[in-house]
Amino acid sequence: MGSFDKSSDPEAVKTALVAINDNDSAVVGEVQAAEKFAFGEDRKIGITGAVFLILNKMIGTGIFSTPSAIFQATGSVGVSIFLWVIGGFLACCGLSVWLEFGLAIPRSGGEKNYLEYIYKHPKYLASCVLAAQMIFLGFSSGNSLAFGRYILYAHNGEAQDSYKARGIGVACATFACALHAFLPKWGVRLVNVLGVFKVVIVLFIVFAGFAALAGHRHVPDPKNFEHSFRIETTETYGGGGAYAYSNALLNIVYSYKGWENANYVMSELKDPRRTLTLAAPIAVAGVTILYVLVNVAYFAAVPKGEIATSEVLVAGIFFKNVFGDSAGVKALPIFVALSNLGNVLAVSFAHARLNQELGKEGLLPLSRFWGSNKPCNAPAASLFLHWLVTIIILLAPPPGPAYNFLVNLYTYPGVWINGFVSGGLIWLHFFRRDTWKPTWRCWEPILAIFFLLNVFLAVVPFIPPVGDWNAEGYPYYVFPIVGVAVLLLGGFYWFVWTKFWPWVRGHSIVAERIVDEDGNEVIRYKKVKKA
């Protein structure tokens, strides 16, 4: 996937450690405020913590909920499982790209830093576009909704989407954000504990699948592996064309999403180079193997028709078919719900750090507020912002097939961002070899595959599907149009923030980022007046 370059010159990327907001036509006035962002070694994340941080983001609702949509789109057991293998390979491709950037630019914030490095002009445009995507669409709504639905399924067998499930989802998101804001150490500890728990649950499903293959089921053999690569078309699955396959891939991308999670918190990693290069590949490789085996388990016990119509609850139906209606099986969906909670904790932890980075840079209104670590040396304000967007998106859609819509809406804009990041890295490899000398280098074929996949996923959702244009309960073009519109909103904000508003006020508050002699990051806010 890539290679280390031990001869790299650290000065080539040293500038990545310091980013200063400047303005060639500005005069710097008095300092408005200064805040130091430093974390003790007891708060920093080691290899084990980084593995579970990635695992908790990757193993969320996806593997317990999206296999239904993927089989529904393909109409083939073999093709569905093969797509999960492809998904793991593509996650490794993306990881190689992010490793190159993360080790060259070792700052929290992930792709925000990478886009800024590549697309320097117009200044701040890339950051504003990413800010719009992360703030408005970087939510935990899908995972929170799945948490609520699995709790209700365990309680009374309720399988339909409802506002009761969403109310429980609100409580889930609120708990996760509050824990990280006021008890940050316990938040990280719970992430680690639930990371172990998730792996145990997934392994339990895998071994239960082996038992189902051996005939230990409470239902007849579904015989899903006979002619497994035959593509079938019925009223409930198959026959969706290229649009359906792109939707299936988006669901798989969503399920694997999280391989980049450690890049968002680079400043909080112990020995970032060693931690990232060990933790990320271990987590991604392990998850890929588990995902493929879990899908084999589902098909070993659940008939095709049930899988296609199960929506979020495919894991719950699997438990019922393997273990029957015993009292013990009622508890198993709760275990899946706890796995969803772990994902909400991991997502809120990482995305709040990215929101905080946007605040540190002065990119947001009330930047000092969003960028603050007060009152508990944790980004409470940024966590509140993540919580607010999550709750709005969770409650806004009417009851129905909301989960798949939330998955697509969450995932789709990210493929545009991934495309620009990987396309930018191709440009660095071929046109900036003299200045871009990272310690880890992604191989060009891997880079090209990742770039082309994201181009495919960005374009194909605009192609009309075969059959009903409203098969998912909403017009097929809604989520790609909304996704692109949010990115364009970022461009509009950039114009207002960098051109119109400074012209109206005559000055702006900008953030100056420095690294002091102890290696701690310090942000100073200054008033900049137009010359």
Side-chain angles (χ1 to χ4, degrees), residues 265-528:
V265 294
M266 287 291 292
S267 300
E268 298 179 48
L269 298 181
K270 297 176 182 176
D271 190 1
R273 173 173 169 171
R274 181 171 182 270
T275 298
L276 191 61
T277 54
L278 288 177
I282 289 172
V284 173
V287 167
T288 300
I289 294 170
L290 290 173
Y291 276 8
V292 173
L293 292 177
V294 166
N295 275 273
V296 171
Y298 290 153
F299 286 114
V302 184
K304 296 175 184 178
E306 282 191 83
I307 289 179
T309 57
S310 61
E311 295 184 14
V312 177
L313 300 172
V314 61
I317 294 173
F318 168 79
F319 292 141
K320 180 179 178 181
N321 287 2
V322 173
F323 299 104
D325 290 318
S326 63
V329 79
K330 297 291 186 182
L332 294 175
I334 294 179
F335 296 155
V336 176
L338 289 175
S339 176
N340 296 335
L341 171 62
N343 187 270
V344 174
L345 284 162
V347 171
S348 58
F349 180 87
H351 279 250
R353 265 65 182 176
L354 182 54
N355 291 343
Q356 184 185 41
E357 284 295 312
L358 298 171
K360 289 180 183 179
E361 294 286 1
L363 287 173
L364 305 178
L366 305 174
S367 284
R368 276 176 281 180
F369 175 70
W370 302 119
S372 174
N373 256 359
K374 299 175 181 177
C376 300
N377 199 26
S382 293
L383 283 161
F384 170 74
L385 180 60
H386 178 79
W387 174 86
L388 182 63
V389 174
T390 293
I391 299 309
I392 292 173
I393 300 297
L394 177 60
L395 297 178
Y403 179 77
N404 288 339
F405 175 74
L406 292 176
V407 167
N408 290 333
L409 187 60
Y410 177 87
T411 309
Y412 178 75
V415 306
W416 284 83
I417 300 298
N418 291 348
F420 278 110
V421 171
S422 53
L425 189 55
I426 292 173
W427 178 76
L428 291 175
H429 276 203
F430 288 98
F431 300 103
R432 287 294 183 269
R433 285 182 176 272
D434 53 337
T435 57
W436 179 251
K437 298 179 180 180
T439 56
W440 168 276
R441 193 173 186 85
C442 177
W443 294 339
E444 277 78 9
I446 296 298
L447 183 53
I449 290 171
F450 188 67
F451 173 72
L452 292 174
L453 164 79
N454 285 287
V455 171
F456 171 81
L457 291 177
V459 173
V460 172
F462 285 100
I463 300 174
V466 177
D468 187 2
W469 285 17
N470 300 287
E472 296 290 335
Y474 53 87
Y476 76 93
Y477 49 78
V478 169
F479 77 82
I481 287 180
V482 172
V484 172
V486 168
L487 299 179
L488 293 175
L489 179 63
F492 176 74
Y493 176 77
W494 168 83
F495 173 79
V496 172
W497 179 65
T498 63
K499 305 297 182 183
F500 179 75
W501 195 237
W503 175 76
V504 171
R505 294 194 305 173
H507 72 271
S508 60
I509 302 296
V510 299
E512 181 185 72
R513 180 194 300 268
I514 66 172
V515 178
D516 65 17
E517 62 276 7
D518 298 322
N520 297 321
E521 183 182 51
V522 180
I523 308 296
R524 292 190 178 93
Y525 296 89
K526 295 184 177 182
K527 179 182 290 187
V528 176

Side-chain angles (χ1 to χ4, degrees), residues 1-6 8 92-104 273 277 281 425 429 436-443:
M1 293 298 179
S3 60
F4 277 111
D5 182 0
K6 296 182 180 179
S8 298
C92 291
C93 293
L95 176 61
S96 188
V97 174
W98 257 245
L99 277 174
E100 178 165 342
F101 274 119
L103 297 177
R273 173 173 169 171
T277 54
L425 189 55
H429 276 203
W436 179 251
K437 298 179 180 180
T439 56
W440 168 276
R441 193 173 186 85
C442 177
W443 294 339

Side-chain angles (χ1 to χ4, degrees), residues 13 47 59 89 98 105 117 126 189 229 236-237 247 263 270 283 360 382 407 423 427 449 490:
V13 293
I47 294 172
I59 304 177
F89 172 71
W98 257 245
I105 308 174
Y117 185 91
R189 288 168 183 165
F229 279 90
T236 56
Y237 58 84
N247 261 9
N263 288 66
K270 297 176 182 176
K360 289 180 183 179
S382 293
V407 167
W427 178 76
I449 290 171

Side-chain angles (χ1 to χ4, degrees), residues 66-257:
T66 61
S68 170
I70 293 160
F71 174 72
Q72 187 183 62
T74 62
S76 168
V77 173
V79 171
S80 297
I81 294 175
F82 185 65
L83 285 179
W84 283 95
V85 176
I86 292 175
F89 172 71
L90 294 173
C92 291
C93 293
L95 176 61
S96 188
V97 174
W98 257 245
L99 277 174
E100 178 165 342
F101 274 119
L103 297 177
I105 308 174
R107 272 176 36 203
S108 294
E111 53 264 37
K112 171 189 172 295
N113 300 317
Y114 317 151
L115 290 169
E116 284 179 347
Y117 185 91
I118 300 166
Y119 305 103
K120 295 181 173 66
H121 303 288
K123 193 171 185 181
Y124 304 130
L125 176 60
S127 296
C128 289
V129 171
L130 180 66
Q133 187 247 337
M134 283 297 181
I135 291 173
F136 292 113
L137 299 179
F139 45 75
S140 299
S141 307
N143 298 299
S144 300
L145 174 60
F147 175 86
R149 290 191 63 179
Y150 268 102
I151 290 293
L152 287 180
Y153 184 77
H155 175 63
N156 57 16
E158 182 176 332
Q160 299 301 315
D161 182 21
S162 67
Y163 279 110
K164 287 189 292 184
R166 298 184 190 203
I168 297 171
V170 169
C172 172
T174 302
F175 169 77
C177 291
L179 184 65
H180 283 315
F182 300 110
L183 296 170
K185 289 183 181 180
W186 283 101
V188 172
R189 288 168 183 165
L190 187 54
V191 165
N192 292 344
V193 170
L194 289 178
V196 175
F197 184 76
K198 284 183 178 189
V199 174
V200 171
I201 292 300
V202 171
L203 286 172
F204 180 77
I205 293 175
V206 169
F207 286 112
F210 291 152
L213 286 171
H216 298 283
R217 296 178 302 269
H218 282 254
V219 294
D221 184 359
K223 299 182 179 180
N224 288 332
F225 297 107
E226 295 180 2
H227 309 291
S228 59
F229 279 90
R230 182 172 59 196
I231 297 175
E232 303 176 35
T233 300
T234 70
E235 291 183 358
T236 56
Y237 58 84
Y243 176 85
Y245 275 83
S246 70
N247 261 9
L249 275 174
L250 281 174
N251 276 272
I252 288 174
V253 168
Y254 172 79
S255 299
Y256 277 101
K257 195 164 178 59

Side-chain angles (χ1 to χ4, degrees), residues 37-62:
F37 296 84
F39 300 95
E41 287 300 312
D42 62 329
R43 280 281 306 276
K44 290 199 171 183
I45 301 168
I47 294 172
T48 301
V51 167
F52 287 125
L53 184 64
I54 295 170
L55 283 176
N56 256 321
K57 178 76 179 291
M58 294 184 75
I59 304 177
T61 62

